[in-house]
Amino acid sequence: MKETKRNNYDKIMNRVGIHTLSGYTDQKLTKEDLTRIEDKDIKKSIKKCNFDTKREQSYLLINPNKTKNGEKLITQYSDFLIKMNQIFTDLGMDQSQMHVTRADFCFNSSEKTDFEDYKKLHRLLLSCLACAYDYKNVYHSQDLFTWKSKSMAIKRKDSEAENYDKYAESNGKDESCNRLELRSLQLNSKTNIEKAFTKDWCKKLDKACKCFEEVQMRSNDGLAKLYLDDREKPTNERKYFNLTAFLLQYQEGIYCRKQMIDLLSRFPEVNNPANTADHFKEKHRIEYFSKADLRQIIKVLKKKTKKYFEI
């Protein structure tokens, strides 16, 4: 990864904050209660308000960044608390009466090209998290017509992480173009929002960094199987024209020179994996990352999280 690009990450991911939260309260609230709220910004912030007859509790889904004119991310926790207090006051309740079960925290950049520019880096980060915590539901989505990437996500019952093209999702209407989101699910009453992100998620990111080498091997296992299985087919049925075409198609899953050499060593047609790897790098300018790159990006994410919570 070029040093200028790595250093620029701190500058571009410049808008962070809590995006959405949800939970329950014992106070009975219905959609009719929303109609009595006069402040349009407050009304927009409450996305769902339903009374669960089985639990005998009210479910609330809140995005405090919503306004009558769209969405503007609140970038300081103190300001977030002020807005939340206004929401609960208008609902006729106290903040302490809500048990938050889910909270989503996001990092955003505002340039249209940022999603593509940092997609491979975020894929690496999500892959490391997936390995560190054994996420099973891991996927990458594309637009049906343009074939452009839309999002990458890892999900399990207690947490999720996703990177997506916010510009495409909002049709260019949102202030954010590229969003990396960390989500804490199944929060209990002993885990407050601040702890969930400044401690729990920071620990997860640190552990993820230790899986840099494991990600390379898991990616190579999958890539090697794809290519070798294809080579066993008759020539007219093969999906990949040659090895170079295959590597170009899947280069976003090859993160460093060492990994490339290991992958090439699994193919009988490659006589000198190191030379072939270097030739491919020189000709096609594949982007590589080091563990130091990953460590630096994680440092930036942790710093921005703690700054938001004013720690």
Side-chain angles (χ1 to χ4, degrees):
M1 184 180 187
K2 292 182 178 179
E3 186 178 358
T4 51
K5 184 174 180 179
R6 183 177 69 183
N7 294 338
N8 199 41
Y9 191 78
D10 192 1
K11 298 176 183 176
I12 68 158
M13 301 299 277
N14 56 6
R15 298 188 65 80
V16 305
I18 296 170
H19 178 253
T20 311
L21 53 82
S22 59
Y24 292 87
T25 176
D26 291 332
Q27 184 168 327
K28 187 172 182 178
L29 297 168
T30 63
K31 293 179 181 178
E32 285 68 33
D33 291 297
L34 298 184
T35 62
R36 291 192 288 271
I37 296 176
E38 296 181 1
D39 190 313
K40 292 182 179 180
D41 286 352
I42 299 297
K43 189 177 291 188
K44 280 283 186 181
S45 296
I46 306 168
K47 299 175 71 177
K48 286 186 181 179
C49 178
N50 302 317
F51 184 72
D52 189 327
T53 54
K54 291 183 178 180
R55 297 180 60 138
E56 294 188 346
Q57 289 181 313
S58 297
Y59 171 77
L60 287 168
L61 175 62
I62 300 171
N63 179 354
N65 309 287
K66 286 284 188 182
T67 70
K68 61 185 178 182
N69 298 318
E71 184 170 314
K72 188 171 181 61
L73 190 68
I74 299 170
T75 56
Q76 281 190 305
Y77 189 51
S78 56
D79 292 334
F80 163 84
L81 291 175
I82 290 171
K83 179 67 178 288
M84 290 299 295
N85 184 60
Q86 292 172 344
I87 292 170
F88 287 121
T89 297
D90 281 18
L91 284 171
M93 59 181 286
D94 187 85
Q95 285 194 53
S96 61
Q97 292 177 277
M98 182 177 175
H99 169 211
V100 176
T101 56
R102 170 174 174 158
D104 302 349
F105 191 83
C106 61
F107 305 84
N108 303 270
S109 60
S110 56
E111 292 297 322
K112 186 178 177 180
T113 59
D114 286 345
F115 176 73
E116 279 295 327
D117 289 346
Y118 287 89
K119 182 178 61 176
K120 184 173 181 177
L121 175 63
H122 286 143
R123 182 188 180 108
L124 172 60
L125 178 63
L126 294 182
S127 297
C128 288
L129 280 167
C131 284
Y133 291 92
D134 196 29
Y135 285 80
K136 301 297 184 186
N137 186 12
V138 296
Y139 61 86
H140 166 221
S141 67
Q142 293 177 308
D143 186 279
L144 287 175
F145 301 105
T146 65
W147 294 90
K148 290 183 178 180
S149 294
K150 295 181 67 178
S151 68
M152 300 170 287
I154 59 173
K155 297 183 178 183
R156 53 185 245 176
K157 289 183 178 180
D158 64 350
S159 58
E160 300 176 357
E162 183 173 8
N163 175 224
Y164 58 98
D165 187 343
K166 187 66 178 174
Y167 180 87
E169 188 225 38
S170 67
N171 292 315
K173 295 178 181 179
D174 196 90
E175 61 182 347
S176 171
C177 291
N178 176 34
R179 175 166 289 173
L180 174 66
E181 203 162 305
L182 306 178
R183 303 166 185 150
S184 289
L185 286 60
Q186 297 183 337
L187 293 173
N188 58 53
S189 56
K190 295 180 181 179
T191 305
N192 61 33
I193 298 173
E194 183 178 328
K195 178 181 179 297
F197 294 106
T198 61
K199 294 185 182 291
D200 299 344
W201 268 106
C202 286
K203 287 180 182 178
K204 288 179 181 179
L205 291 170
D206 286 336
K207 187 175 179 180
C209 192
K210 297 175 183 178
C211 294
F212 182 57
E213 291 78 14
E214 182 183 348
V215 166
Q216 296 169 46
M217 292 303 102
R218 285 187 63 177
S219 293
N220 279 1
D221 289 345
L223 290 172
K225 188 175 188 312
L226 277 176
Y227 185 70
L228 293 173
D229 286 352
D230 190 64
R231 299 306 284 178
E232 291 180 359
K233 299 175 183 178
T235 304
N236 64 341
E237 295 180 12
R238 289 177 185 172
K239 185 177 180 180
Y240 311 111
F241 178 71
N242 56 31
L243 180 57
T244 299
F246 175 81
L247 295 175
L248 286 170
Q249 183 170 343
Y250 293 106
Q251 61 180 300
E252 289 197 352
I254 305 171
Y255 301 107
C256 66
R257 180 177 183 270
K258 181 181 176 182
Q259 180 191 347
M260 175 67 93
I261 293 172
D262 175 79
L263 177 62
L264 293 171
S265 71
R266 304 185 190 203
F267 305 142
E269 66 195 83
V270 179
N271 295 320
N272 191 320
N275 284 350
T276 302
D278 292 341
H279 178 72
F280 185 88
K281 169 69 172 174
E282 182 180 352
K283 189 172 183 180
H284 300 289
R285 303 298 180 186
I286 183 173
E287 183 176 33
Y288 285 151
F289 304 111
S290 67
K291 198 167 188 175
D293 291 330
L294 182 61
R295 194 179 294 115
Q296 176 61 25
I297 296 311
I298 288 172
K299 182 180 178 182
V300 169
L301 296 175
K302 290 167 60 180
K303 181 187 75 173
K304 289 184 177 294
T305 301
K306 291 177 179 179
K307 183 180 180 180
Y308 169 81
F309 284 100
E310 300 168 274
I311 294 177

